[in-house]
Every structure is written in structure tokens, then in C-alpha cells.
């Protein structure tokens, strides 16, 4: 504890670092203030009630990453979803179209990709805002007498402006603050919405019955998951690499040993985002059709809402299967063993005991498949345990635990952002000959 306070004091003593931290906090405060500004023409009470029934759909997940701004119909209701989606789309386009991927590696190419990402973000924000307006109108969530064209234009423009402003705030954090801007905004959203789960556990704890034991068990599981997440996030599989000696002019280069690190959870939380979106789609369609819950629905809608709610074991099994599928898919488009093998060969590097070229790429691919399997298993445990607890809580009708359905994925995002920010502060402290958090 003494070391931690000493490190914090050293961080605060560095003027540049202190300014970056204060600037980041200032931007996050501005963001949270913007997330409280309500939009006109929307019935906030009705939409709040609707989202309380939408925990089993994709709306519940989007509401979580927006810090409950979506359920309150505020200026920042779209949150960072358009920017994240556009970033993913540009990344996929870079893989699908090699020329676009090569442009990003050229001088000035990164700035062009950033500009294209901004344009795509605005376009997606307009499309999402229009769809969200249609959803509000179809579900009678607008105030009476406000279904004209002017109302639609105002709502769509406000939502699009909010998403664009969030993108601008995130870029300002990248430029003048500490950490990744969009990640810090996402961190603030999840933390602000996490008090609901804490309140639910506290309610169970103060009941002083078997619910108290359940709350204590949930707290122990949460602490164990935090330790497990930190351990796996810092774990990596290192492939040894040896560089051959070569003479350039009168100097000799190479002849040294290194390694190729491969993170255990290389795909991050992207498989969780993809799997959650797909498996929640049936329940989302049902809710957009006006079927708010399995208790009130009839016929096929009742079956869909029962099977694809977050308290269903069918939902849990499909979620885990999709998570493994998307883990391998995402790694396949973001990590190319052939390119890594060719780079090693160009620089005179080789894996001991493995011939350069195709044998090296095959060896890296085999290691990558094993690492991906471990990472997908890790993600399924982290995000599946809260869903399992939610299913069990539903069987025993413990409604106070219903809010932790997405607790594992949100906790993983928060821990990942904290570790990345700590590493950046560590690098800044090391440059100034201080010891940081990670020593």
C-alpha cells in the first residue's frame, strides 16, 4: 500500500503527466454531463419502462455500454457504438481489399484511414439515429402529437451530433490526455452503470437469509474473476526467435535471441461483442414487434422470448458456441502467420528447429490455434459465468441478480482499459526515471 501511494505521488509530481490526467478527467466529466441532457419530443418515462423489460435483447447490451443514456433518451444515447463499428468495418475492409490495407501502412496513410473512419462514423450515426427514431415511433415512445417530419429531423440530427461529439471528445483525449479516448469513454459508461449491480448485491446482502449467502458467493466469484482476468490478460505464449549473423559494411548485425509474444487473449472483447449481438437478435426482433416479455407474449413470440432471454440456458449455450466461432474468425482476419513468417525471413530471423518460409508459418498457425482455443475458453468462462448465475437466479426467482447478465464482459472491458492505462502511465514514468505501477 505504501508503494502504491508513493507511485501516485510520483505521478502527480510530474507536471506534464498531471496535466494529461486532469484533462482526461475534465473530458470525461463533460461527457457524463452530455449524457444527462434529454432530447425533446421523447417520453422519458415510457422509454425507461420499456428498457427495464429489454434486458434480454441487444437493447440491454447497448444501454449498458452507453451508461444508461440510451434508456434515458439523452444526447449521447448512441454512445461510442457508431465509432467502434466504423473502426471495425475499416479494419475488415483493409483485409478484404489489400490496396486499402497497404495504404494504411504508407506515409500519411494512417491520417487518411482516420478521416475515412470519421466519415463512416457520421454515416453510421445517421443510419442508426433514423432506425432508432423509427423504433421510438413504432413503440409509441414519442410524446403525443410529435410524429411529424420536423420531430424526426430534430431527433435524428441530435443523435448524430451527439455521436460525432463523442468521437471528437475521444480524439481530444488521444491528443492531450492519457489512455485511449474511446476506451476511456467506454470505461466511464460501464462504471457509471455498474452501481445497479452493486445495489442489487447489497439488497441481497442486507436481507440476512439465504440471499445473503448468495450475495457473498457472488462477491467472492467477482473477486476471483478479477484476479483471473488480470492473470490471463498479462499472459502470453512466447515463440523463441534466433537472428542469424550478417555483415553490413564493417559492422556485424544479428546473432541474438528474441521471442515472438502471442497474447493468450489476443482477440480481446470483440468475440463477446459479436456473439452478444447475434444471439440477442431474435429477442430484439420480438421486442421491436411489440412483444415486451415472455409472460405477456403469445404463440411463437412467447417461445422466442423464453428461449433467447438472458436467463435461458439455450441462450447461454448458443452464446458460448458463437463466442468460440467469432474468436477464431477475428484472429483469422487480424493476425496473418504468413506475413509474420515472411517478416522474420527478411530480417534474418528463424524459429530454432523450424525451417524458414512455409514450415515457420505452419508452426506459428498451430501455436496460434492453440492460443486462440485457450483465449476463447477464457472468454466463455468470464462472460458465461454471469449468464449462468442469471439463469440460476431466474429458476429461484431472485430478481435482484438479473442486472449481472453482461457483468463478465463489462468487467473484462473495464480491467483491460485499466491495464492499458496503467501501462501507458508506466511508460511515461519510466521515461522520467520513476518506478511505475507494474514494478
Amino acid at each position: 500500500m505504501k508503494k502504491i501511494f508513493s507511485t501516485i505521488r510520483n505521478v502527480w509530481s510530474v507536471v506534464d503527466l498531471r496535466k494529461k490526467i486532469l484533462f482526461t478527467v475534465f473530458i470525461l466529466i463533460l461527457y457524463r454531463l452530455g449524457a444527462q441532457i434529454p432530447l425533446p419530443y421523447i417520453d422519458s418515462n415510457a422509454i425507461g419502462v420499456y428498457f427495464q423489460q429489454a434486458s434480454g435483447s441487444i437493447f440491454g447490451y447497448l444501454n449498458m455500454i452507453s451508461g444508461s443514456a440510451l434508456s434515458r433518451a439523452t444526447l449521447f444515447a448512441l454512445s461510442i457504438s457508431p465509432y467502434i463499428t466504423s473502426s471495425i468495418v475499416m479494419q475488415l475492409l483493409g483485409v478484404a481489399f489489400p490496396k486499402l490495407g497497404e495504404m494504411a501502412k504508407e506515409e500519411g496513410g494512417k491520417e487518411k484511414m482516420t478521416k475515412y473512419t470519421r466519415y463512416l462514423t457520421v454515416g453510421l450515426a445517421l443510419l442508426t439515429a433514423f432506425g432508432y427514431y423509427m423504433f421510438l415511433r413504432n413503440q409509441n415512445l414519442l410524446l403525443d402529437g410529435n410524429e411529424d417530419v420536423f420531430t424526426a429531423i430534430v431527433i435524428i440530427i441530435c443523435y448524430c451530433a451527439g455521436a460525432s461529439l463523442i468521437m471528437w471528445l475521444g480524439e481530444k483525449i488521444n491528443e492531450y490526455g492519457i489512455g485511449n479516448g474511446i476506451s476511456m469513454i467506454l470505461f466511464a459508461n460501464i462504471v457509471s452503470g455498474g452501481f445497479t449491480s452493486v445495489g442489487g448485491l447489497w439488497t441481497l446482502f442486507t436481507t440476512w437469509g439465504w440471499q445473503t449467502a448468495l450475495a457473498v458467493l457472488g462477491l467472492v466469484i467477482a473477486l476471483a474473476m478479477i484476479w483471473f482476468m488480470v492473470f490471463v490478460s498479462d499472459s502470453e505464449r512466447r515463440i523463441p526467435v534466433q537472428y542469424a549473423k550478417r555483415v553490413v559494411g564493417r559492422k556485424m548485425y544479428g546473432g541474438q535471441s528474441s521471442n515472438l509474444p502471442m497474447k493468450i487473449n489476443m482477440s480481446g472483447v470483440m468475440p463477446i461483442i459479436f456473439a452478444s449481438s447475434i444471439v440477442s437478435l431474435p429477442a430484439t426482433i420480438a421486442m421491436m414487434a411489440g412483444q415486451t416479455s415472455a409472460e405477456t407474449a403469445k404463440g411463437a413470440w412467447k417461445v422466442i422470448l423464453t428461449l433467447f432471454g438472458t436467463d435461458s440456458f439455450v441462450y447461454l449455450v448458443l452464446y458460448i458456441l458463437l463466442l468460440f466461432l467469432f474468436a477464431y474468425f477475428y484472429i483469422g482476419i487480424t493476425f496473418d502467420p504468413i506475413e509474420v513468417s515472411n517478416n522474420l525471413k527478411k530480417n534474418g530471423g528463424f524459429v530454432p528447429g523450424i525451417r524458414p518460409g512455409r514450415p515457420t508459418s505452419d508452426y506459428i498457425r498451430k501455436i496460434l490455434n492453440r492460443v486462440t482455443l485457450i483465449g476463447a475458453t477464457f472468454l466463455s468462462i468470464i462472460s458465461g459465468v454471469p449468464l449462468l448465475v442469471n439463469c440460476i437466479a431466474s429458476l429461484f426467482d431472485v430478481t435482484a441478480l438479473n442486472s449481472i447478465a453482461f457483468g463478465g464482459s463489462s468487467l473484462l472491458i473495464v480491467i483491460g482499459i485499466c491495464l492499458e492505462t496503467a501501462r501507458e502511465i508506466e511508460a511515461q514514468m519510466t521515461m522520467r526515471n520513476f518506478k511505475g505501477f507494474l514494478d
Side-chain angles (χ1 to χ4, degrees):
M1 185 64 67
K2 183 178 179 181
K3 178 183 176 182
I4 294 177
F5 284 115
S6 177
T7 302
I8 294 175
R9 186 172 61 253
N10 291 336
V11 170
W12 198 253
S13 65
V14 180
V15 178
D16 293 341
L17 199 54
R18 183 171 69 245
K19 288 182 179 179
K20 289 184 177 182
I21 294 175
L22 291 176
F23 181 82
T24 303
V25 173
F26 174 70
I27 292 294
L28 293 180
I29 291 175
L30 287 180
Y31 170 77
R32 290 308 303 170
L33 289 176
Q36 310 303 319
I37 301 175
L39 293 189
Y41 311 123
I42 300 176
D43 190 343
S44 58
N45 294 326
I47 196 173
V49 173
Y50 186 90
F51 271 87
Q52 287 180 355
Q53 303 170 345
S55 59
S57 68
I58 190 60
F59 292 120
Y61 182 77
L62 294 175
N63 188 46
M64 179 198 71
I65 65 175
S66 69
S68 300
L70 189 61
S71 62
R72 295 196 299 267
T74 63
L75 179 63
F76 290 163
L78 298 186
S79 188
I80 59 173
S81 298
Y83 187 79
I84 291 179
T85 303
S86 62
S87 299
I88 295 173
V89 169
M90 292 303 299
Q91 190 175 17
L92 294 176
L93 289 177
V95 176
F97 300 97
K99 290 186 178 180
L100 188 62
E102 293 175 358
M103 184 191 70
K105 300 177 182 178
E106 298 175 354
E107 184 178 357
K110 188 175 181 180
E111 288 75 12
K112 291 183 179 179
M113 292 293 289
T114 301
K115 185 185 298 184
Y116 296 155
T117 303
R118 292 172 182 168
Y119 294 152
L120 185 58
T121 299
V122 175
L124 288 175
L126 281 172
L127 182 63
T128 306
F130 175 76
Y132 192 44
Y133 165 77
M134 296 300 296
F135 161 74
L136 294 173
R137 192 181 69 174
N138 294 335
Q139 297 300 322
N140 298 319
L141 298 176
L142 298 175
L143 294 174
D144 295 336
N146 291 284
E147 297 182 358
D148 55 354
V149 177
F150 178 76
T151 300
I153 293 175
V154 170
I155 293 176
I156 292 173
I157 289 179
C158 287
Y159 278 138
C160 183
S164 302
L165 184 57
I166 291 172
M167 177 179 62
W168 182 80
L169 291 175
E171 291 183 352
K172 288 303 176 183
I173 293 179
N174 293 336
E175 187 175 357
Y176 300 108
I178 196 77
N180 180 274
I182 296 301
S183 297
M184 297 302 292
I185 291 176
L186 180 59
F187 172 84
N189 285 339
I190 295 177
V191 170
S192 65
F195 293 104
T196 304
S197 299
V198 175
L201 286 175
W202 178 254
T203 301
L204 287 180
F205 185 79
T206 54
T207 306
W208 302 111
W210 65 271
Q211 294 93 339
T212 302
L214 186 61
V216 173
L217 178 61
L219 181 60
V220 171
I221 292 176
L223 294 176
M225 287 176 62
I226 291 175
W227 176 86
F228 184 50
M229 290 178 188
V230 175
F231 175 77
V232 175
S233 298
D234 288 336
S235 300
E236 59 186 21
R237 169 67 161 87
R238 297 177 180 177
I239 300 177
V241 177
Q242 182 72 34
Y243 288 92
K245 293 182 179 180
R246 54 195 179 97
V247 178
V248 180
R250 295 183 177 182
K251 295 183 178 180
M252 180 176 294
Y253 297 90
Q256 60 184 2
S257 299
S258 183
N259 61 73
L260 178 64
M262 302 177 68
K263 288 286 187 180
I264 296 298
N265 185 27
M266 192 180 300
S267 57
V269 296
M270 296 310 301
I272 293 178
I273 296 176
F274 289 149
S276 298
S277 302
I278 297 299
V279 78
S280 299
L281 190 59
T284 302
I285 295 175
M287 298 198 71
M288 294 184 69
Q291 308 298 323
T292 57
S293 65
E295 289 77 12
T296 59
K298 296 180 180 180
W301 292 121
K302 183 179 182 65
V303 175
I304 291 175
L305 288 173
T306 302
L307 294 179
F308 293 95
T310 55
D311 56 354
S312 168
F313 287 98
V314 174
Y315 180 98
L316 175 61
V317 173
L318 290 177
Y319 177 81
I320 298 299
L321 292 176
L322 287 174
L323 196 148
F324 274 87
L325 175 64
F326 284 117
Y328 279 96
F329 169 76
Y330 189 76
I331 290 297
I333 64 174
T334 57
F335 188 93
D336 187 3
I338 297 178
E339 182 179 359
V340 174
S341 175
N342 291 336
N343 290 336
L344 288 177
K345 188 176 181 180
K346 290 178 182 178
N347 294 314
F350 62 93
V351 179
I354 306 296
R355 296 176 57 186
R358 183 168 183 176
T360 298
S361 64
D362 292 341
Y363 176 76
I364 295 176
R365 182 178 288 106
K366 182 176 68 174
I367 299 298
L368 180 64
N369 290 335
R370 295 176 179 176
V371 170
T372 303
L373 177 61
I374 298 174
T377 304
F378 161 72
L379 291 178
S380 64
I381 293 174
I382 292 302
S383 57
V385 167
L387 288 173
L388 179 61
V389 173
N390 205 45
C391 294
I392 297 174
S394 179
L395 290 177
F396 291 97
D397 197 24
V398 184
T399 57
L401 290 179
N402 290 342
S403 59
I404 67 170
F406 300 109
S409 57
S410 59
L411 189 60
L412 180 61
I413 294 172
V414 169
I415 290 178
I417 294 172
C418 289
L419 290 176
E420 288 300 323
T421 305
R423 291 190 185 100
E424 183 169 345
I425 295 177
E426 176 82 8
Q428 295 282 342
M429 296 296 291
T430 303
M431 291 172 56
R432 295 167 173 84
N433 299 319
F434 283 106
K435 289 185 178 181
F437 293 100
L438 305 178
D439 289 336

